[in-house]
Amino acid sequence: MMTDSVSGSVTGAYTAGQGDRAARFGIGELVRHVLFDFRGVVFDIDPQFSDTEEWLLAIPEAVRPEKDQPFYHLLAENGDICYVAYASEGNLCPDDTGMPLRHPQAELIFERFENGRYLLKSRLAN
């Protein structure tokens, strides 16, 4: 689940490799999508797009994100619906509600919600 590019520290910061941008958001941080009405918690980070071309091309060209930016794996929720989302950094902003998610998988990855962020379980930390 966690990749070598993700630190399990409390900040959960992504460590940029050569040619990669440092990620703006860290593991356990709450974010909100700027175009679509959902919020989520970061549980993994890709230094740049790493899904399929089909996935990317399914996004309308007018809002299709660039590949050369960090992409985030999120436990997401929109109303009563919980799911896993993949979103580009440019489409995310901090979620300032200070409220935890209701996502049932959060307890599998995170130890607890504290001070507005989730803390990664130590057994999953790199």
Side-chain angles (χ1 to χ4, degrees):
M1 180 182 308
M2 296 294 141
T3 66
D4 292 339
S5 64
V6 177
S7 164
S9 68
V10 172
T11 59
Y14 155 75
T15 305
Q18 187 174 6
D20 294 332
R21 283 186 356 204
R24 179 176 173 202
F25 305 107
I27 304 296
E29 200 165 339
L30 289 169
V31 294
R32 181 173 298 281
H33 200 282
V34 297
L35 299 175
F36 304 112
D37 186 27
F38 74 82
R39 56 192 291 260
V41 60
V42 176
F43 71 88
D44 201 1
I45 306 168
D46 294 334
Q48 51 189 284
F49 180 76
S50 68
D51 207 322
T52 65
E53 282 298 311
E54 292 80 16
W55 184 90
L56 189 65
L57 294 175
I59 299 170
E61 190 173 356
V63 295
R64 188 176 304 147
E66 295 293 323
K67 290 180 169 184
D68 62 345
Q69 62 180 313
F71 275 72
Y72 299 85
H73 298 265
L74 308 169
L75 296 180
E77 65 182 32
N78 178 353
D80 293 332
I81 301 170
C82 295
Y83 52 98
V84 174
Y86 190 60
S88 67
E89 184 170 272
N91 283 326
L92 298 174
C93 65
D95 177 78
D96 58 4
T97 64
M99 300 298 296
L101 298 177
R102 295 177 315 278
H103 201 293
Q105 291 177 314
E107 66 186 31
L108 300 175
I109 299 172
F110 300 103
E111 187 71 38
R112 66 186 177 279
F113 183 76
E114 184 176 284
N115 298 323
R117 72 176 302 129
Y118 282 89
L119 302 176
L120 190 63
K121 286 188 175 187
S122 59
R123 66 178 173 80
L124 296 177
N126 289 341

